[in-house]
């Protein structure tokens, strides 16, 4: 039997008997079912019905007032700041000690013993319904995690079987798809609080997409989001916005002081070939950690030469020597030297175009020429020589990617 139908039957029955407005929410106060209004409603209830959820501040307010471990109905204190201007009876919905949601009854007068008995019985029945649903969902979610994990296997037959199962079992649509990876500043295993935050962030980001267009997985040190943008309100050009939404949900759990980057792989037309997109997204995160100018949400195509360098193992890159003159300048903690190096990098990024570089840096051409000559003198490099320019340009990229600048 459908859980939504069962919950709706339950709240309608209680509302009819009590002649009061009744609703059921999940643990984060996302609305699951509600009755017709037998009494007036306040702005908190209206917002819950219109948006199917309430602000995090209101959810936190409710959780602060829930008696720990109790399933007894209680009166939630009024709080006009959050739109709680009508008395309401709340019964925690539990299965054993696990909180599965809340049953709400709006009050026009204090509850009597008969209403309390009805509410207790309804909360027990709702607990059975939600536990059964959560158990089935956990089994399905476990299977989904296994298949998503297998999509990134090194064994192609394993990837092909996982892709086939996801599509045949109606867990994911066909067509083009890509991978987003969210990770913190290191490759260390996520601590419990960060792992939970990553899971919640991925779940909430999935709600931006229709069913069968998004999958997710939390790996030991990062989160993975698989997206099929076709036929949604998120075409591929808007994927960086999805990356920003994912970051925002993650930071909302842990605080803005946390550091997290999102890498976006290229689109692939086969689910079984998404391991390539996954590798690209991982490299994009790796590059973004060091090349801060790229931003916090980075597509693989935006990495440029950094993406090529990142394919070389990091320990090998660190052993690659830089031009001695460039290395000597990078080692100096002198603001003027840093300005000269930044000017040379901009000049090389602009393919040696003096006019474009001067405009970008908002300096006169004469100042630009002076800085370039000064760099040549200090580093012992001739920027008119193509080989020297290439050595310097790659050296600057390499230094940034390996944390040497």
């Amino acid at each position: 039997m459908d859980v939504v139908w069962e919950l709706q039957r339950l709240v309608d029955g209680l509302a009819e008997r009590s002649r009061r407005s009744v609703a059921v929410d999940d643990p984060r106060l996302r609305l699951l079912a509600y009755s017709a209004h037998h009494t007036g409603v306040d702005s908190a209830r209206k917002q819950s019905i219109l948006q199917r959820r309430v602000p995090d501040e209101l959810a936190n307010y409710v959780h602060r007032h829930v008696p720990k471990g109790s399933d007894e109905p209680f009166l939630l204190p009024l709080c006009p700041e959050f739109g709680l201007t009508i008395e309401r009876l709340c019964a925690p919905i539990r299965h054993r000690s696990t909180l599965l949601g809340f049953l709400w009854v709006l009050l026009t007068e204090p509850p009597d013993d008969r209403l309390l008995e009805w509410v207790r019985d309804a909360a027990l029945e709702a607990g059975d319904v939600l536990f059964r649903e959560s158990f089935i969902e956990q089994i399905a979610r476990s299977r989904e995690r296994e298949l998503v994990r297998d999509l990134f296997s090194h064994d192609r037959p394993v990837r092909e079987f996982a892709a086939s199962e996801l599509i045949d079992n109606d867990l994911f649509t066909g067509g083009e798809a890509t991978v987003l990876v969210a990770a913190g500043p290191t490759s260390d295993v996520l601590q419990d609080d960060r792992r939970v935050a990553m899971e919640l962030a991925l779940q909430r980001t999935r709600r931006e997409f229709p069913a069968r267009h998004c999958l997710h997985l939390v790996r030991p040190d990062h989160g993975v989001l698989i997206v099929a943008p076709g036929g949604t309100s998120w075409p591929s050009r808007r994927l960086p916005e999805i990356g920003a939404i994912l970051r925002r949900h993650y930071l909302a759990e842990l605080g803005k002081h946390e550091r997290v980057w999102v890498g976006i792989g290229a689109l692939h037309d086969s689910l079984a070939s998404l391991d390539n997109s996954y590798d690209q997204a991982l490299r994009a995160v790796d590059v973004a950690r060091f090349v801060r100018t790229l931003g916090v949400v980075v597509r693989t195509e935006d990495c440029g030469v950094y993406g090529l360098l990142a394919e070389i193992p990091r320990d090998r890159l660190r052993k690659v020597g830089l031009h001695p003159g460039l290395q000597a300048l990078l080692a100096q903690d002198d603001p003027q030297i840093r300005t000269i190096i930044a000017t040379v990098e901009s000049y090389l990024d602009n393919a040696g175009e003096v006019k474009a570089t001067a405009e970008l840096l908002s300096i006169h051409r004469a100042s630009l020429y002076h800085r370039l000559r000064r760099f040549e003198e200090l580093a012992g490099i001739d920027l008119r020589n193509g080989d020297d320019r290439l050595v310097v340009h790659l050296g600057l990229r390499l230094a940034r990617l390996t944390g040497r600048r």
Side-chain angles (χ1 to χ4, degrees):
M1 191 178 293
D2 181 73
V3 64
V4 175
W5 185 90
E6 288 194 70
L7 290 176
Q8 192 62 54
R9 177 188 58 79
L10 187 151
V11 300
D12 286 342
L14 179 57
E16 187 63 32
R17 277 180 290 165
S18 65
R19 307 304 298 171
R20 292 177 173 87
S21 298
V22 180
V24 171
D25 291 337
D26 74 3
R28 293 305 300 171
L29 273 70
R30 290 185 291 264
L31 186 63
L32 300 177
Y34 67 98
S35 71
H37 302 313
H38 290 274
T39 59
V41 297
D42 54 19
S43 60
R45 172 58 60 84
K46 290 177 183 177
Q47 183 180 34
S48 173
I49 292 172
L50 291 173
Q51 299 183 6
R52 312 298 293 187
R53 60 176 298 171
V54 300
D56 289 342
E57 294 81 6
L58 176 51
N60 293 335
Y61 176 81
V62 170
H63 279 271
R64 286 199 300 271
H65 289 86
V66 177
K68 188 173 182 180
S70 173
D71 55 6
E72 276 297 300
F74 68 95
L75 292 174
L76 183 69
L78 297 177
C79 183
E81 178 186 354
F82 295 136
L84 299 171
T85 56
I86 294 179
E87 294 278 2
R88 58 211 336 115
L89 185 66
C90 175
I93 300 173
R94 299 182 188 275
H95 181 83
R96 296 180 180 174
S97 61
T98 302
L99 181 66
L100 300 176
F102 299 99
L103 186 147
W104 301 95
V105 179
L106 295 186
L107 301 175
T108 54
E109 57 188 34
D112 56 23
D113 290 342
R114 184 174 61 172
L115 176 60
L116 289 173
E117 183 179 354
W118 287 344
V119 168
R120 289 190 190 98
D121 290 343
L124 285 172
E125 186 177 350
D128 290 339
V129 171
L130 290 174
F131 175 74
R132 186 167 64 249
E133 175 68 12
S134 67
F135 181 70
I136 294 171
E137 184 178 330
Q138 285 176 20
I139 294 174
R141 181 74 188 98
S142 176
R143 179 58 175 157
E144 178 187 299
R145 279 196 298 267
E146 291 176 4
L147 293 172
V148 172
R149 182 197 62 206
D150 288 347
L151 281 180
F152 307 130
S153 169
H154 295 296
D155 190 343
R156 183 165 184 82
V158 172
R159 297 198 304 272
E160 291 176 343
F161 177 78
S164 175
E165 285 289 292
L166 286 167
I167 294 173
D168 292 347
N169 287 282
D170 218 23
L171 295 173
F172 199 71
T173 184
E176 287 189 324
T178 188
V179 176
L180 287 77
V181 167
T186 71
S187 57
D188 294 339
V189 173
L190 294 172
Q191 296 178 355
D192 288 346
D193 59 338
R194 288 175 172 81
R195 189 173 183 83
V196 170
M198 187 65 76
E199 176 67 31
L200 291 173
L202 290 165
Q203 287 181 16
R204 290 168 184 167
T205 306
R206 283 183 69 163
R207 297 185 198 129
E208 301 287 336
F209 291 87
R212 301 173 59 245
H213 282 262
C214 202
L215 299 166
H216 80 276
L217 178 69
V218 178
R219 307 213 79 167
D221 62 339
H222 61 270
V224 180
L225 194 71
I226 299 174
V227 173
T232 75
S233 58
W234 296 100
S236 59
R237 68 177 183 278
R238 296 186 62 192
L239 287 176
E241 295 176 50
I242 289 295
I245 290 171
L246 175 55
R247 286 190 77 253
R248 186 166 68 246
H249 286 315
Y250 182 77
L251 296 175
E253 291 296 319
L254 294 176
K256 294 182 179 179
H257 61 281
E258 282 290 316
R259 292 184 295 161
V260 61
W261 290 266
V262 177
I264 305 173
L267 282 169
H268 287 263
D269 57 9
S270 167
L271 201 55
S273 62
L274 275 187
D275 58 317
N276 293 321
S277 184
Y278 174 59
D279 290 341
Q280 292 167 344
L282 283 172
R283 284 198 296 272
V285 166
D286 201 23
V287 168
R289 284 173 175 150
F290 291 91
V291 187
R292 302 300 172 84
T293 55
L294 293 176
V296 290
V297 178
V298 183
R299 287 175 177 264
T300 183
E301 54 262 40
D302 296 332
C303 293
V305 70
Y306 290 116
L308 294 175
L309 291 173
E311 293 191 30
I312 303 173
R314 186 59 53 81
D315 56 343
R316 290 183 59 188
L317 281 177
R318 290 193 179 97
K319 295 177 182 178
V320 176
L322 305 179
H323 184 284
L326 175 62
Q327 187 165 325
L329 290 180
L330 289 172
Q332 295 188 38
D333 189 19
D334 184 332
Q336 290 186 345
I337 296 298
R338 291 179 186 171
T339 299
I340 289 173
I341 292 173
T343 300
V344 171
E345 186 168 29
S346 295
Y347 172 72
L348 296 173
D349 286 346
N350 281 285
E353 287 287 339
V354 172
K355 182 175 182 294
T357 305
E359 289 176 353
L360 178 66
L361 299 176
S362 300
I363 61 176
H364 194 276
R365 293 189 194 185
S367 298
L368 174 59
Y369 282 124
H370 173 73
R371 293 180 188 178
L372 295 177
R373 284 197 301 271
R374 185 64 178 146
F375 177 83
E376 290 178 321
E377 293 169 0
L378 294 172
I381 287 172
D382 183 1
L383 291 176
R384 294 168 297 180
N385 182 285
D387 287 342
D388 279 6
R389 283 202 302 271
L390 181 60
V391 165
V392 172
H393 210 182
L394 283 176
L396 290 170
R397 293 286 193 266
L398 190 59
R400 195 184 292 276
L401 193 59
T402 55
R404 285 183 266 185
R405 58 172 303 203

